Amino acid sequence: MEFDRHFFYDYLIDFGFSKNISIYLNLFFLVIISLILTYLIDIIARKVLRNISIRIAKSSKTSFDDILITNKVPTNVAHLIPVLIFFELIPIIFFDFEYLRNFTTKLVSIISILLTLSIARSILNSLKDFLKKLPRFKDKPVDSYIQVFMIFAWLAGTILAFAIITDQSIWKFFTALGAASAIIILIFKDTILGFVASIQVSVNDMVRIGDWITFEKFGADGDVIEISLATVKVQNFDKTITTIPTYALISDSFKNWRGMVNSQGRRIKRALNIKMDSIHYLSDDEINNLKSIHLIENYLTDKQENINTYNEEKNINKNFLLNGRNLTNIGVFRKYAETYIENHPAINKNMMIMVRQLAPTSQGLPLEIYAFSADKRWQNYEYIIADIFDHLLASVQYFNLEVFELPSRITTTN
């Protein structure tokens, strides 16, 4: 073994070089040869492991091994082989230089740690890509879990690297770490909050990838495209991207539209403001005229008979319309609107359908349409609403009603 360590040294001495120069040249030649050898082993290891991995992937039915190759797991493992071989050569190369031997040993050990972390990251990324292809995990915040594992891996690697550099035991480092825990918590506050939030979001199933959420505080209104440890990315409907801190999902209020998407319909809740001075009782002539409207013909006939019977039994004086029971144009229009919506082909008949009056306001009497469209797609949903209100707005005049609108100009009198 002694011969191997001083192989070039002995030849250099024979050629007449001094001992001091010979020992340094011996070191130089050994380092160069070791680096060349390490490089060649790295090339061979990469090609061999990659070819073996490709053959295994082709014969395998699962796609996980293909993902491992895509994320360069075999390549990263191959890099570790020559480093470990070089580590074994360090005592031979630096036999006469204890300081350089210790320094190089620490350096190669740290490189080994970094390569191990690189392998761990490649494997975790492969696992992430594989899980995202499974229907069960497609909408889960897999990125958050992978990032948590990587944080712990990097923390362990950093601690080990410091222990190697300082020649201290890991337990002493942990003791010092405990003393500095307050500073560490302050530095990694957002990471810790994000980690806790990611767990709560996942456990409580608050948000999934693909959910439509509305977060007014951050101006977000769109689909969740990524959930990571620190942030949630939302692609708004105008194709902009809004980034939200993950912990904001548990500290602030936001709206998740998943319930609507998973339901049988999308709610329509919109009102017409009727001008109140256009509301009046209907005379017999007006009722007979409205019977020409097919949707409420039977309703008016039955209702008129019931009202006439009641008024006759109570001997009501109908010379004055206010007396007894009467039909109003707003009531008949409300029934018409409800019947129209019930017969509309785009409305889900199995969900609530209602046309109701709200409290009168300074802008008239709100007549609210409450129903659910069978088609939940945004574009079609807006088309259905427009179709319904186009019809109702045009229908109002047939009931001698007016829709309230602010005057377009103010007239003054001298």
Side-chain angles (χ1 to χ4, degrees), residues 212-225:
W212 169 19
I213 68 170
T214 302
F215 210 140
E216 294 182 0
K217 180 178 178 180
F218 294 93
D221 185 16
D223 298 327
V224 176
I225 58 174

Side-chain angles (χ1 to χ4, degrees), residues 360-379:
T361 68
S362 59
Q363 295 183 353
L365 177 67
L367 194 67
E368 185 182 76
I369 310 301
Y370 194 100
F372 292 83
S373 67
D375 195 332
K376 295 173 286 187
R377 290 171 295 180
W378 187 18
Q379 185 177 6

Side-chain angles (χ1 to χ4, degrees), residues 131-283:
L131 291 176
K132 282 186 174 182
K133 290 184 177 182
L134 300 178
R136 183 179 176 184
F137 295 95
K138 192 174 182 179
D139 55 358
K140 297 295 187 295
V142 178
D143 295 280
S144 298
Y145 303 137
I146 299 300
Q147 287 176 356
V148 169
F149 282 119
M150 280 308 303
I151 286 173
F152 281 114
W154 276 105
L155 182 62
T158 303
I159 292 172
L160 190 57
F162 272 105
I164 291 171
I165 293 171
T166 58
D167 291 323
Q168 299 291 329
S169 69
I170 296 176
W171 301 113
K172 287 185 179 180
F173 189 84
F174 274 118
T175 303
L177 199 64
S181 58
I183 298 175
I184 293 171
I185 290 173
L186 181 63
I187 294 173
F188 295 101
K189 181 187 72 172
D190 291 339
T191 303
I192 294 170
L193 287 174
F195 172 54
V196 175
S198 295
I199 294 174
Q200 291 185 338
V201 166
S202 177
V203 171
N204 297 322
D205 198 20
M206 296 170 63
V207 176
R208 301 175 188 168
I209 294 175
D211 282 356
W212 169 19
I213 68 170
T214 302
F215 210 140
E216 294 182 0
K217 180 178 178 180
F218 294 93
D221 185 16
D223 298 327
V224 176
I225 58 174
E226 182 181 312
I227 301 175
S228 63
L229 186 64
T231 59
V232 174
K233 288 186 179 179
V234 178
Q235 185 176 52
N236 301 310
F237 294 121
D238 60 0
K239 299 305 178 183
T240 58
I241 304 294
T242 299
T243 302
I244 302 170
T246 305
Y247 60 81
L249 297 177
I250 61 174
S251 63
D252 295 307
S253 176
F254 69 97
K255 183 183 291 185
N256 191 329
W257 295 84
R258 189 199 310 160
M260 180 276 295
V261 173
N262 294 337
S263 69
Q264 297 178 352
R266 184 171 178 179
R267 188 182 69 173
I268 297 172
K269 187 175 182 287
R270 189 176 293 184
L272 287 173
N273 287 338
I274 303 298
K275 195 173 181 181
M276 284 189 283
D277 60 6
S278 67
I279 299 173
H280 62 270
Y281 290 120
L282 291 173
S283 64

Side-chain angles (χ1 to χ4, degrees), residues 46 60 63 78 86-87 91 107 124 127 135 148 213 234 257 316 324 338 356 386 390:
R46 273 187 292 160
S60 175
S63 62
F86 186 82
F87 184 83
L107 179 62
L124 289 173
L127 184 62
V148 169
I213 68 170
V234 178
W257 295 84
I316 302 296
E338 186 175 83
R356 62 172 180 166
D390 286 349

